[in-house]
Amino acid sequence: MDQLKILGGRPLNGEVPISGAKNAALPLLCAALLTDQPVTLRNVPRLQDVRTMLDLLAYIGVQTRHDEYGAVHLHADRLGEPEAPYELVRSMRASILALGPLMARIGYAKVALPGGCAIGSRPVDQHIRGLQAMGAQTLVEHGNIIATLPRGASRLKGARITTEMVTVTGTENLLMAAVLAEGETVLTNAAQEPEIVDLAEMLIAMGAHIEGHGTSTIHIEGVQALHGCDHAVVADRIEAGTFLCAVAATGGDVFLRHARGEHLQAVIDKLRALGADISCNGDGVRIQSPGAASGKLQAQSFRTTEYPGFPTDMQAQFMALNCVAHGTSTITENIFENRFMHVGELARLGANIQADGRVAVVEGGAQLTGAAVSSTDLRASACLVIAGLVASGETLVGELQHLDRGYDGIEVKLRGLGADIARIPCQRAQ
């Protein structure tokens, strides 16, 4: 297992390209199940989760191919076993996204209850109840969700579905199920994330009739069939936010090519209040920061909420920034109940944080010093990288399988901005 070796204290300067969003690419890949015609996806990030999803689609019978330009070509004209077995999906919760398209396309699906990183409960009951409202018969047994159409039915039926909680993957699953259902489906209390808008735009390009995506109420009029399309994955707002926090902490001047400022407004507002100068245009986002060493950064309190509020996927990275900014801040995690596991690792670097349940109080102004730390989940790993970039001395970040699930060559991109960071083999204990 590799680890990242970071020598902190260097400002970041230059330009970095922001990759396609993992959280958009995964449902877009599953959307290829909805048609027997070829689909091309561009700007697909090179991530472990993407590779896992492609393996899953290939198991189901989808032909997949990467070309020399980095695009992924998919063709689901001859589907085989409509099953997502546990050995393929245990490491990735997004595998549940195969459920809706398979039910819409062939009226049967068997999907293992998903695994993934241990940041708290993400129940799939909202997916199941939504499909039941559309006429599906469902059964959960032996760790699998099995969904079928009633005897004599050829398609799902449109319905008005209100989820009890805002769920991103639930909205995506039900959206994909509804595009081939008979009649109109209305999704209320729908998630509004840019990744859902990107999925809806791809489905529309395939011939779906969808209105209201990006709001809490989505209207879908089912069609008989969808055709293929050529679609580019939207830029990853969480990768962009991670780089913004890194530059804010270390200081410097960086342009994030392809980043969409309108997708990060809650984070950008906090970074501006903290003391960074940020400007946005159609090509990307630029950040200029004096860095924590200047003593000019002011820690910011925040609460994570559903989009367009402050994203839970940016909580850990901003916590690392608050550790080295001036003042005391309070962070409230409202989305997942177990997402402060990085607190103990930050403390190993010298951070002063008191966490109690869903609330963490950060005493800023810490002089972080390098140490060996371990990632506990995807965004926690990014948090530790940011802390290592600003800490004095050498930081070793282990358990990189988490980082590789969501960041496309982050150490290469940071090195291009002037960071002293390298991926090295894990050192063995003597």
Side-chain angles (χ1 to χ4, degrees), residues 274 292 295-300 321-329 363-366:
L274 177 132
K296 297 179 180 179
L297 301 184
Q298 182 66 45
Q300 298 296 306
L321 179 54
N322 274 346
C323 288
V324 295
H326 177 73
T328 302
S329 60
E363 296 293 340

PDB file of all heavy atoms in Angstrom, residues 274 292 295-300 321-329 363-366:
ATOM      1  N   LEU A 274     -13.233  34.245   5.273  1.00  0.00           N
ATOM      2  CA  LEU A 274     -12.008  33.814   5.944  1.00  0.00           C
ATOM      3  C   LEU A 274     -10.811  34.700   5.597  1.00  0.00           C
ATOM      4  O   LEU A 274      -9.895  34.856   6.393  1.00  0.00           O
ATOM      5  CB  LEU A 274     -11.726  32.363   5.559  1.00  0.00           C
ATOM      6  CG  LEU A 274     -10.458  31.716   6.084  1.00  0.00           C
ATOM      7  CD1 LEU A 274     -10.765  30.349   6.672  1.00  0.00           C
ATOM      8  CD2 LEU A 274      -9.447  31.554   4.953  1.00  0.00           C
ATOM      9  N   ALA A 292      -2.157  30.807   5.945  1.00  0.00           N
ATOM     10  CA  ALA A 292      -2.311  30.797   7.397  1.00  0.00           C
ATOM     11  C   ALA A 292      -1.130  31.429   8.104  1.00  0.00           C
ATOM     12  O   ALA A 292      -1.285  32.045   9.173  1.00  0.00           O
ATOM     13  CB  ALA A 292      -2.515  29.368   7.887  1.00  0.00           C
ATOM     14  N   GLY A 295      -1.213  35.075   9.429  1.00  0.00           N
ATOM     15  CA  GLY A 295      -2.033  35.472  10.566  1.00  0.00           C
ATOM     16  C   GLY A 295      -3.271  36.256  10.170  1.00  0.00           C
ATOM     17  O   GLY A 295      -3.989  36.770  11.034  1.00  0.00           O
ATOM     18  N   LYS A 296      -3.551  36.337   8.877  1.00  0.00           N
ATOM     19  CA  LYS A 296      -4.666  37.154   8.392  1.00  0.00           C
ATOM     20  C   LYS A 296      -5.946  36.367   8.134  1.00  0.00           C
ATOM     21  O   LYS A 296      -6.979  36.952   7.826  1.00  0.00           O
ATOM     22  CB  LYS A 296      -4.256  37.872   7.112  1.00  0.00           C
ATOM     23  CG  LYS A 296      -3.110  38.858   7.293  1.00  0.00           C
ATOM     24  CD  LYS A 296      -2.747  39.515   5.978  1.00  0.00           C
ATOM     25  CE  LYS A 296      -1.594  40.517   6.154  1.00  0.00           C
ATOM     26  NZ  LYS A 296      -1.220  41.158   4.871  1.00  0.00           N
ATOM     27  N   LEU A 297      -5.897  35.052   8.249  1.00  0.00           N
ATOM     28  CA  LEU A 297      -7.091  34.253   7.991  1.00  0.00           C
ATOM     29  C   LEU A 297      -7.943  34.133   9.244  1.00  0.00           C
ATOM     30  O   LEU A 297      -7.427  33.892  10.339  1.00  0.00           O
ATOM     31  CB  LEU A 297      -6.705  32.855   7.502  1.00  0.00           C
ATOM     32  CG  LEU A 297      -5.872  32.779   6.228  1.00  0.00           C
ATOM     33  CD1 LEU A 297      -5.667  31.323   5.820  1.00  0.00           C
ATOM     34  CD2 LEU A 297      -6.503  33.566   5.091  1.00  0.00           C
ATOM     35  N   GLN A 298      -9.238  34.291   9.099  1.00  0.00           N
ATOM     36  CA  GLN A 298     -10.166  34.251  10.218  1.00  0.00           C
ATOM     37  C   GLN A 298     -11.059  33.025  10.098  1.00  0.00           C
ATOM     38  O   GLN A 298     -11.793  32.864   9.118  1.00  0.00           O
ATOM     39  CB  GLN A 298     -11.040  35.512  10.239  1.00  0.00           C
ATOM     40  CG  GLN A 298     -12.020  35.583  11.398  1.00  0.00           C
ATOM     41  CD  GLN A 298     -11.308  35.712  12.746  1.00  0.00           C
ATOM     42  OE1 GLN A 298     -10.380  36.503  12.883  1.00  0.00           O
ATOM     43  NE2 GLN A 298     -11.756  34.941  13.732  1.00  0.00           N
ATOM     44  N   ALA A 299     -10.987  32.124  11.073  1.00  0.00           N
ATOM     45  CA  ALA A 299     -11.762  30.873  11.036  1.00  0.00           C
ATOM     46  C   ALA A 299     -13.254  31.167  10.916  1.00  0.00           C
ATOM     47  O   ALA A 299     -13.750  32.175  11.446  1.00  0.00           O
ATOM     48  CB  ALA A 299     -11.482  30.045  12.280  1.00  0.00           C
ATOM     49  N   GLN A 300     -13.968  30.249  10.242  1.00  0.00           N
ATOM     50  CA  GLN A 300     -15.387  30.436   9.970  1.00  0.00           C
ATOM     51  C   GLN A 300     -16.210  29.251  10.482  1.00  0.00           C
ATOM     52  O   GLN A 300     -15.878  28.089  10.236  1.00  0.00           O
ATOM     53  CB  GLN A 300     -15.621  30.581   8.464  1.00  0.00           C
ATOM     54  CG  GLN A 300     -14.940  31.776   7.841  1.00  0.00           C
ATOM     55  CD  GLN A 300     -15.473  33.084   8.367  1.00  0.00           C
ATOM     56  OE1 GLN A 300     -16.699  33.316   8.324  1.00  0.00           O
ATOM     57  NE2 GLN A 300     -14.588  33.930   8.866  1.00  0.00           N
ATOM     58  N   LEU A 321      -8.580  23.724   7.378  1.00  0.00           N
ATOM     59  CA  LEU A 321      -8.295  25.145   7.189  1.00  0.00           C
ATOM     60  C   LEU A 321      -8.562  25.934   8.466  1.00  0.00           C
ATOM     61  O   LEU A 321      -7.770  26.799   8.869  1.00  0.00           O
ATOM     62  CB  LEU A 321      -9.136  25.665   6.023  1.00  0.00           C
ATOM     63  CG  LEU A 321      -9.044  27.133   5.646  1.00  0.00           C
ATOM     64  CD1 LEU A 321      -7.602  27.554   5.395  1.00  0.00           C
ATOM     65  CD2 LEU A 321      -9.904  27.403   4.412  1.00  0.00           C
ATOM     66  N   ASN A 322      -9.671  25.631   9.140  1.00  0.00           N
ATOM     67  CA  ASN A 322      -9.995  26.323  10.389  1.00  0.00           C
ATOM     68  C   ASN A 322      -8.957  26.060  11.482  1.00  0.00           C
ATOM     69  O   ASN A 322      -8.750  26.892  12.365  1.00  0.00           O
ATOM     70  CB  ASN A 322     -11.375  25.900  10.890  1.00  0.00           C
ATOM     71  CG  ASN A 322     -12.500  26.711  10.274  1.00  0.00           C
ATOM     72  OD1 ASN A 322     -12.265  27.757   9.671  1.00  0.00           O
ATOM     73  ND2 ASN A 322     -13.718  26.240  10.424  1.00  0.00           N
ATOM     74  N   CYS A 323      -8.306  24.897  11.422  1.00  0.00           N
ATOM     75  CA  CYS A 323      -7.293  24.577  12.435  1.00  0.00           C
ATOM     76  C   CYS A 323      -6.144  25.580  12.425  1.00  0.00           C
ATOM     77  O   CYS A 323      -5.548  25.853  13.473  1.00  0.00           O
ATOM     78  CB  CYS A 323      -6.735  23.170  12.206  1.00  0.00           C
ATOM     79  SG  CYS A 323      -7.879  21.843  12.618  1.00  0.00           S
ATOM     80  N   VAL A 324      -5.810  26.111  11.254  1.00  0.00           N
ATOM     81  CA  VAL A 324      -4.646  26.996  11.136  1.00  0.00           C
ATOM     82  C   VAL A 324      -5.032  28.456  10.960  1.00  0.00           C
ATOM     83  O   VAL A 324      -4.167  29.334  10.959  1.00  0.00           O
ATOM     84  CB  VAL A 324      -3.750  26.543   9.971  1.00  0.00           C
ATOM     85  CG1 VAL A 324      -3.161  25.166  10.261  1.00  0.00           C
ATOM     86  CG2 VAL A 324      -4.501  26.515   8.644  1.00  0.00           C
ATOM     87  N   ALA A 325      -6.340  28.740  10.807  1.00  0.00           N
ATOM     88  CA  ALA A 325      -6.801  30.129  10.750  1.00  0.00           C
ATOM     89  C   ALA A 325      -6.924  30.683  12.170  1.00  0.00           C
ATOM     90  O   ALA A 325      -6.885  29.945  13.160  1.00  0.00           O
ATOM     91  CB  ALA A 325      -8.134  30.203  10.017  1.00  0.00           C
ATOM     92  N   HIS A 326      -7.086  31.982  12.288  1.00  0.00           N
ATOM     93  CA  HIS A 326      -7.170  32.634  13.607  1.00  0.00           C
ATOM     94  C   HIS A 326      -8.591  32.534  14.145  1.00  0.00           C
ATOM     95  O   HIS A 326      -9.570  32.733  13.425  1.00  0.00           O
ATOM     96  CB  HIS A 326      -6.765  34.110  13.489  1.00  0.00           C
ATOM     97  CG  HIS A 326      -6.889  34.857  14.777  1.00  0.00           C
ATOM     98  ND1 HIS A 326      -6.017  34.681  15.835  1.00  0.00           N
ATOM     99  CD2 HIS A 326      -7.806  35.786  15.191  1.00  0.00           C
ATOM    100  CE1 HIS A 326      -6.371  35.476  16.825  1.00  0.00           C
ATOM    101  NE2 HIS A 326      -7.452  36.153  16.467  1.00  0.00           N
ATOM    102  N   GLY A 327      -8.724  32.236  15.451  1.00  0.00           N
ATOM    103  CA  GLY A 327     -10.014  32.261  16.127  1.00  0.00           C
ATOM    104  C   GLY A 327     -10.627  30.889  16.321  1.00  0.00           C
ATOM    105  O   GLY A 327     -10.104  29.866  15.885  1.00  0.00           O
ATOM    106  N   THR A 328     -11.760  30.894  17.022  1.00  0.00           N
ATOM    107  CA  THR A 328     -12.493  29.667  17.332  1.00  0.00           C
ATOM    108  C   THR A 328     -13.677  29.531  16.393  1.00  0.00           C
ATOM    109  O   THR A 328     -14.385  30.497  16.123  1.00  0.00           O
ATOM    110  CB  THR A 328     -12.994  29.696  18.781  1.00  0.00           C
ATOM    111  OG1 THR A 328     -11.877  29.852  19.655  1.00  0.00           O
ATOM    112  CG2 THR A 328     -13.743  28.416  19.131  1.00  0.00           C
ATOM    113  N   SER A 329     -13.888  28.324  15.899  1.00  0.00           N
ATOM    114  CA  SER A 329     -15.012  28.073  15.000  1.00  0.00           C
ATOM    115  C   SER A 329     -15.793  26.858  15.473  1.00  0.00           C
ATOM    116  O   SER A 329     -15.255  25.968  16.135  1.00  0.00           O
ATOM    117  CB  SER A 329     -14.522  27.868  13.567  1.00  0.00           C
ATOM    118  OG  SER A 329     -13.635  26.754  13.489  1.00  0.00           O
ATOM    119  N   GLU A 363     -10.237  25.205  17.885  1.00  0.00           N
ATOM    120  CA  GLU A 363      -9.425  26.340  18.339  1.00  0.00           C
ATOM    121  C   GLU A 363      -8.347  26.578  17.288  1.00  0.00           C
ATOM    122  O   GLU A 363      -7.440  25.777  17.105  1.00  0.00           O
ATOM    123  CB  GLU A 363      -8.790  26.041  19.697  1.00  0.00           C
ATOM    124  CG  GLU A 363      -9.784  25.867  20.825  1.00  0.00           C
ATOM    125  CD  GLU A 363     -10.517  27.155  21.170  1.00  0.00           C
ATOM    126  OE1 GLU A 363      -9.998  28.252  20.820  1.00  0.00           O
ATOM    127  OE2 GLU A 363     -11.603  27.077  21.772  1.00  0.00           O
ATOM    128  N   GLY A 364      -8.466  27.670  16.574  1.00  0.00           N
ATOM    129  CA  GLY A 364      -7.578  27.950  15.462  1.00  0.00           C
ATOM    130  C   GLY A 364      -6.202  28.408  15.901  1.00  0.00           C
ATOM    131  O   GLY A 364      -5.890  28.504  17.092  1.00  0.00           O
ATOM    132  N   GLY A 365      -5.382  28.693  14.903  1.00  0.00           N
ATOM    133  CA  GLY A 365      -4.035  29.176  15.166  1.00  0.00           C
ATOM    134  C   GLY A 365      -3.040  28.099  15.506  1.00  0.00           C
ATOM    135  O   GLY A 365      -1.942  28.392  16.002  1.00  0.00           O
ATOM    136  N   ALA A 366      -3.385  26.830  15.254  1.00  0.00           N
ATOM    137  CA  ALA A 366      -2.473  25.734  15.592  1.00  0.00           C
ATOM    138  C   ALA A 366      -1.236  25.767  14.696  1.00  0.00           C
ATOM    139  O   ALA A 366      -1.321  26.056  13.504  1.00  0.00           O
ATOM    140  CB  ALA A 366      -3.187  24.399  15.446  1.00  0.00           C
TER     141      ALA A 366
END
